[in-house]
Amino acid sequence: MEKRFIMANDKEIKEGKVTDIYFVRTEEILKAKKLYNVEVNAEITISSVPNGWKWVVYAGLREVLKLLEGLPIDVYSIPEGTIISREDTNGIRIPVMNIRGPYAAFAIYETPLLGFLAAATGVATKASRIRKRAGKNTLIVYFGARRNHPAVAPFYDFYAYVGGFNSVSCIAGSEFLGKKPVGTMPHSLLIIFRAIYGDHRLGWKAFHEVMPPEVPRICLADTFWDEVEESIEAVKTLGPNNIWGVRLDTPGSRKGNFAAIVREVKWKLSQLGYKNVKVFVSGGIDEHNIKELIEAGADGFGIGSAVASAPPVDFAMDITAVKVNGKWIPITKRGKFSGVKTVWKRIKQSKVEYIVTPEGTIIDDAECIMHKYVENGKIIQKLPSPDDLREYVISQLDYFEL
C-alpha cells in the first residue's frame, strides 16, 4: 500500500501537478505554435456567491502570491481581507485580481489559484458572518481541525482567525498565526478518571494540578450529570478563584433548548455567589443560533463545523485583453466584460460602494484599491500580519448587513 498520505505537497503545487490537464495541453500547443510569449490580461472575478450571501471577504491572496512568485508576470489585486460583493454599483463584475504576462507562463496555475481563493474566501466569509452576528467583543475559538483533511487544517485556522475568530485550537494552525493554541478538555479525560477512580471530578482536579497557570481552567461540565449540577460541582471542586469557567458541549440528542440550559446554568451559579464563572459553549453553534445563546448568557464559543464546512466561493479567471503589436486589444468570451479594468471604492452615507472602470479612468471622490503586488515575478508589497488583516476585516463589518 502507498505509504504517503493522499495529498499534494508544496513542491507538487508549485510544479503545477494539481492543475487540470487541458492547461498543460494548452501550454504545449502555444509553445509548438510559437505563441508562448503572447501576453494577456487575465482577470479573476467572483462567479457566484453561495447561500444568498450579499458579500464575501476576499481571501487567499498571500497563497496565490507564493504560487506565482518567480514567473515572468505582473499581478494586481485588491487588498486581501476586503469585503466586496460580486458586482459593482453598475452591475459590472468586480475584478479582484489581474495577471499580466505570457499566458503560457501561468496557465497551469489557474486551477490551484482559484482553489486557494475559493476555499480561503469561503472560510473567512463564514467566520466574519458569525463575528458580525456575535458582535465584536464575544470570545470565539475555532475548533474545526477535525472537520477537514489534516493537510489543510492550518489553512482553515488561518482564515477563520482572519475572518474574526479570537484564536484556534490546532497546534499547527496556531504556529502559522504566531499564537498559542487555545482549548479546554475532552470528555475522554473525565471518562478515564470515572472508570478508574469512580469520580470524574478527579479529572478536573488533575487538569488543575498538571496544567501550567497560564492555561485557563475551563471544566467540561456535561459528561455524566445534568449541566447545572456538573457546573456547580466543577466550581466547588476547583474553587471559584481557580476556575475560569465551564464548557457545555451537550450532544444534539440531549440538548433540547440549549439557550434555556445556558440561562439556567448562569442563574444558578450566580445564586450561589459564582457570578464571575463564565459559560463557554460548543457543539452546533452557527450564525443562526449564536445571538440567542449570547442573550442567554453564554460568554464564549467553540465553533468548528459551521466554518469547516463553509461553502467555497466560486471564482473564475478569464482573458479580457491580449497584447498585439505592443497594444492591449480588449477581447473576452461572451458573458464577460472585455478590457483591462481597475476598482474604486468610496463610502457614501455609511455604505461602501465599488465602481469598476477601464484602467486609466480617474474618479475624484473614490479610492483606487487595485494595487500591484508582483512585478516581473517579484513580490513588491509587504503583506499585513494576521492580526492586522483580522482588524481590517472586522473594521469593515459595520458597513455591511447580513
Side-chain angles (χ1 to χ4, degrees):
M1 184 178 72
E2 173 63 56
K3 293 183 178 181
R4 177 184 165 185
F5 291 119
I6 305 173
M7 62 184 187
N9 58 36
D10 285 17
K11 183 173 182 289
E12 289 167 325
I13 294 172
K14 285 285 287 186
E15 289 176 348
K17 294 288 184 66
V18 290
T19 195
D20 296 299
I21 188 61
Y22 67 0
F23 289 120
V24 175
R25 292 168 180 164
T26 298
E27 181 183 2
E28 291 174 354
I29 294 167
L30 292 175
K31 285 181 177 179
K33 296 300 181 179
K34 312 299 182 184
L35 296 174
Y36 183 89
N37 291 320
V38 172
E39 293 187 49
V40 305
N41 182 86
E43 177 183 277
I44 290 85
T45 57
I46 300 171
S47 296
S48 61
V49 178
N51 299 334
W53 292 348
K54 298 176 183 178
W55 48 266
V56 301
V57 177
Y58 171 59
L61 173 61
R62 64 192 56 224
E63 299 297 87
V64 170
L65 297 182
K66 296 173 194 172
L67 178 71
L68 301 179
E69 186 176 14
L71 302 179
I73 60 173
D74 295 340
V75 178
Y76 299 78
S77 177
I78 67 174
E80 185 168 31
T82 300
I83 297 180
I84 57 167
S85 54
R86 187 180 74 157
E87 299 170 345
D88 75 348
T89 57
N90 299 308
I92 308 298
R93 290 197 183 181
I94 298 172
V96 298
M97 183 184 298
N98 285 314
I99 303 173
R100 296 177 202 168
Y103 180 70
F106 66 88
I108 63 172
Y109 295 107
E110 177 174 337
T111 303
L113 182 156
L114 296 178
F116 280 136
L117 296 181
T121 300
V123 170
T125 302
K126 185 61 176 180
S128 289
R129 290 179 64 85
I130 293 172
R131 171 55 67 194
K132 172 77 175 177
R133 189 75 72 180
K136 294 181 179 179
N137 299 319
T138 301
L139 173 65
I140 309 175
V141 182
Y142 182 56
F143 282 0
R146 68 184 63 190
R147 306 301 182 195
N148 292 113
H149 192 294
V152 296
F155 181 90
Y156 275 63
D157 285 334
F158 188 95
Y159 285 105
Y161 180 80
V162 162
F165 278 41
N166 295 89
S167 51
V168 303
S169 64
C170 175
I171 297 171
S174 296
E175 290 175 351
F176 275 97
L177 290 167
K179 307 288 182 182
K180 291 184 178 180
V182 173
T184 60
M185 63 181 64
H187 289 98
S188 55
L189 175 69
L190 305 180
I191 289 170
I192 289 172
F193 274 86
R194 176 72 170 257
I196 300 299
Y197 299 109
D199 188 348
H200 65 284
R201 290 173 295 188
L202 297 177
W204 296 329
K205 291 186 68 174
F207 187 95
H208 180 51
E209 292 167 357
V210 175
M211 288 296 99
E214 63 269 18
V215 176
R217 272 53 179 166
I218 304 175
C219 293
L220 186 55
D222 62 6
T223 309
F224 295 106
W225 304 331
D226 171 83
E227 292 85 357
V228 173
E229 296 305 314
E230 284 218 2
S231 296
I232 293 171
E233 284 299 313
V235 178
K236 289 181 177 179
T237 299
L238 296 194
N241 294 326
N242 294 321
I243 190 170
W244 183 91
V246 295
R247 176 163 75 99
L248 309 182
D249 189 50
T250 308
S253 61
R254 300 286 294 277
K255 194 169 290 182
N257 187 327
F258 202 13
I261 293 173
V262 171
R263 190 172 283 110
E264 183 183 353
V265 169
K266 290 286 286 190
W267 177 271
K268 290 184 175 177
L269 287 175
S270 178
Q271 288 294 297
L272 292 172
Y274 307 142
K275 294 182 179 181
N276 294 327
V277 176
K278 296 176 174 59
V279 173
F280 187 90
V281 298
S282 58
I285 312 301
D286 199 350
E287 62 181 280
H288 307 298
N289 60 3
I290 193 169
K291 189 173 182 180
E292 67 174 339
L293 292 169
I294 293 172
E295 291 171 350
D299 300 288
F301 299 87
I303 300 177
S305 295
V307 174
S309 61
V313 175
D314 191 13
F315 287 84
M317 177 190 288
D318 297 284
I319 292 176
T320 62
V322 177
K323 186 173 279 190
V324 180
N325 297 324
K327 181 180 179 181
W328 285 110
I329 305 300
I331 183 172
T332 191
K333 69 180 184 181
R334 61 180 183 168
K336 301 289 183 175
F337 293 84
S338 59
V340 181
K341 310 175 196 70
T342 194
V343 185
W344 299 80
K345 173 184 178 181
R346 66 182 168 206
I347 298 176
K348 189 176 181 180
Q349 296 179 343
S350 299
K351 296 290 184 181
V352 174
E353 292 183 348
Y354 291 105
I355 307 100
V356 176
T357 67
E359 190 174 62
T361 304
I362 302 296
I363 300 180
D364 292 331
D365 63 344
E367 172 195 5
C368 179
I369 61 169
M370 183 70 77
H371 307 294
K372 182 184 278 191
Y373 280 82
V374 174
E375 186 172 308
N376 194 28
K378 182 179 179 181
I379 299 173
I380 61 173
Q381 294 274 4
K382 181 180 179 181
L383 297 178
S385 69
D387 288 342
D388 289 341
L389 191 53
R390 177 179 181 273
E391 184 177 334
Y392 173 52
V393 172
I394 292 175
S395 71
Q396 300 169 82
L397 289 176
D398 287 342
Y399 295 106
F400 296 88
E401 299 297 330
L402 292 176

